[in-house]
Amino acid sequence: MSDTLTKLTYQTFQQSKNYFGLAHKLLSSRLKNIISATEQTQIQPIPNEVLLKAQQNLNNLLEVDWEDAERGVYPKSVLFDNPWEDFFRYYPMVWLDLPQTWERAQHKRYQEFTQDVDINGYPSYYVQNFHHQTNGYLSDLSANLYDLQVEILFGGSADPMRRRILAPLKEGLEVFSDVSPRQIRVLDVACGTGRTLKLIRAALPKASLFGTDLSPAYLRKANEFLSQIPGELPQLLQANAEELPYLDNYFHAVTSVFLFHELPAAARQQVIEQSYRVTKPGGTFIICDSVQMSDSPEMESLMESFHETFHEPYYKHYTTDNLVERLEKAGFENIDIRVHFMSKYFIARKPA
């Protein structure tokens, strides 16, 4: 297949996921209004200029994604990777869970867990029904639905946004050119279902990969998911990112994707401090998370309401938090900032 045809196929693939996400949001919104007709709230339409800007930013993201694959940051096959079997299997469950989600949001029940879920031993900020979902991040159902829900939220662009960490990750590892590829160690903090680790494996097929997460359910899902791919299985541990169970100066690189907006300010700083501690001198720490207010002023109204719409209790503070200052306070330097579509990236170096 020619590069032109492959690129066209990729663009069509991504747009189909985008349309799927839009269709789901439209149908679920209308269904909610039918079920809760007496409790409708007036939702302001998104201005056309914001929609056009978002589409332009999405197109730019997909172009960069293609270019990185073309120059060998990761194989082109990664561009078409999607867990279709899981998505078709679990999509009906998304709909089945929506009525409970809507009811929970309506009555502002933010810390509601079923009796079979053990909530002891977790930080209080973690015991939340993030996204109003049943049992927060502490159930197998949540772990099974997460990737599908994120794809719907971001219109199929979650993986392209995750992949934007791979180029700076590989560039940062160049300072360790005298180290065997098999001796390179990379940690993904709050690894969730393991999708970021799978992408890192595609870019660094010989490296030793590690992941931590607070949720046993998500780690079970990650182990199941990652065991299906070739190469050494990443070493996964249940751990609080504020107390990483690793030696000082152990990793050549540390990543964290879509975590920081779900942390209160003090925890953000502590996770950064821990990431600095376990990163080798000369190593790289990469944060991927939501854009902030200063990056997209035209989306201010959406960001203002996002924390209530999706119950992200720490998101609003995150949107104005100075992460560069936090990184520098921990000791990182030469901090590079990039923005792609709905995500922002902080690439920080630990002094050699």
Side-chain angles (χ1 to χ4, degrees):
M1 186 182 292
S2 69
D3 278 354
T4 301
L5 184 56
T6 305
K7 183 176 182 181
L8 180 60
T9 305
Y10 166 64
Q11 291 171 334
T12 304
F13 169 72
Q14 283 297 145
Q15 288 299 340
S16 67
K17 292 206 293 180
N18 188 28
Y19 294 146
F20 170 76
L22 292 172
H24 173 87
K25 292 171 190 173
L26 178 62
L27 287 172
S28 61
S29 176
R30 289 184 175 177
L31 180 61
K32 181 181 180 182
N33 286 339
I34 292 172
I35 293 175
S36 307
T38 60
E39 296 158 0
Q40 292 185 44
T41 56
Q42 188 64 35
I43 300 175
Q44 295 299 320
I46 301 174
N48 285 335
E49 59 269 23
V50 174
L51 293 174
L52 289 172
K53 179 67 173 176
Q55 185 61 54
Q56 179 185 348
N57 290 342
L58 175 58
N59 293 340
N60 292 340
L61 167 69
L62 300 184
E63 186 64 31
V64 173
D65 199 27
W66 171 261
E67 290 172 357
D68 276 357
E70 271 214 311
R71 63 192 184 94
V73 176
Y74 39 82
K76 285 183 182 175
S77 59
V78 171
L79 299 175
F80 301 95
D81 179 47
N82 203 61
W84 295 113
E85 183 178 340
D86 263 15
F87 281 11
F88 287 126
R89 177 183 175 188
Y90 294 118
Y91 185 61
M93 296 184 186
V94 172
W95 283 99
L96 290 172
D97 196 43
L98 280 177
Q100 297 179 71
T101 298
W102 295 333
E103 183 182 7
R104 193 176 293 112
Q106 176 192 339
H107 295 289
K108 301 186 184 299
R109 299 202 303 266
Y110 298 140
Q111 294 177 305
E112 181 179 77
F113 293 84
T114 56
Q115 291 183 346
D116 60 314
V117 174
D118 183 5
I119 61 174
N120 294 313
Y122 295 101
S124 58
Y125 63 78
Y126 190 72
V127 186
Q128 303 270 354
N129 297 111
F130 289 100
H131 315 155
H132 301 291
Q133 67 181 350
T134 301
N135 289 325
Y137 288 142
L138 294 174
S139 72
D140 290 317
L141 175 64
S142 171
N144 287 328
L145 299 185
Y146 178 81
D147 286 325
L148 176 55
Q149 290 172 325
V150 172
E151 286 291 3
I152 291 172
L153 175 63
F154 289 125
S157 67
D159 275 352
M161 288 192 291
R162 287 187 183 102
R163 285 194 285 268
R164 303 285 60 77
I165 72 167
L166 299 179
L169 173 61
K170 294 184 78 172
E171 291 162 7
L173 291 174
E174 289 174 1
V175 301
F176 301 107
S177 58
D178 58 334
V179 178
S180 164
R182 294 190 183 280
Q183 293 179 318
I184 292 293
R185 292 187 291 269
V186 179
L187 169 67
D188 187 39
V189 176
C191 64
T193 64
R195 283 202 70 77
T196 299
L197 283 169
K198 183 179 182 183
L199 295 172
I200 295 173
R201 170 61 73 220
L204 300 169
K206 296 181 179 179
S208 294
L209 304 185
F210 299 74
T212 64
D213 203 272
L214 257 178
S215 170
Y218 275 69
L219 289 172
R220 285 193 293 272
K221 182 69 176 180
N223 266 311
E224 174 192 340
F225 177 63
L226 295 169
S227 65
Q228 300 170 10
I229 64 176
E232 179 187 347
L233 186 66
Q235 299 179 42
L236 306 181
L237 284 178
Q238 183 186 8
N240 187 336
E242 296 179 77
E243 300 175 358
L244 292 174
Y246 300 104
L247 298 173
D248 296 356
N249 308 318
Y250 190 68
F251 295 101
H252 299 86
V254 177
T255 62
S256 181
V257 177
F258 301 148
L259 166 67
F260 276 69
H261 72 278
E262 295 192 337
L263 297 174
R268 273 180 230 137
Q269 186 64 47
Q270 185 62 19
V271 173
I272 290 174
E273 301 278 353
Q274 283 289 294
S275 298
Y276 182 87
R277 179 183 65 78
V278 301
T279 300
K280 282 182 174 292
T284 305
F285 176 43
I286 303 173
I287 296 172
C288 161
D289 216 297
S290 166
V291 291
Q292 296 181 295
M293 286 291 188
S294 58
D295 306 308
S296 300
E298 72 278 2
M299 299 186 68
E300 181 175 344
S301 61
L302 296 179
M303 284 193 270
E304 281 283 350
S305 60
F306 185 87
H307 69 288
E308 289 187 352
T309 304
F310 294 96
H311 185 56
E312 290 281 11
Y314 314 109
Y315 177 82
K316 190 171 183 179
H317 183 275
Y318 164 84
T319 61
T320 58
D321 197 9
N322 190 336
L323 291 190
V324 171
E325 186 176 276
R326 293 189 181 281
L327 288 162
E328 290 177 340
K329 179 180 178 182
F332 287 108
E333 61 182 20
N334 299 328
I335 299 161
D336 183 19
I337 296 176
R338 304 176 191 179
V339 174
H340 296 284
F341 189 38
M342 299 300 294
S343 289
K344 185 171 186 174
Y345 305 78
F346 300 84
I347 300 107
R349 284 84 179 179
K350 183 170 180 175

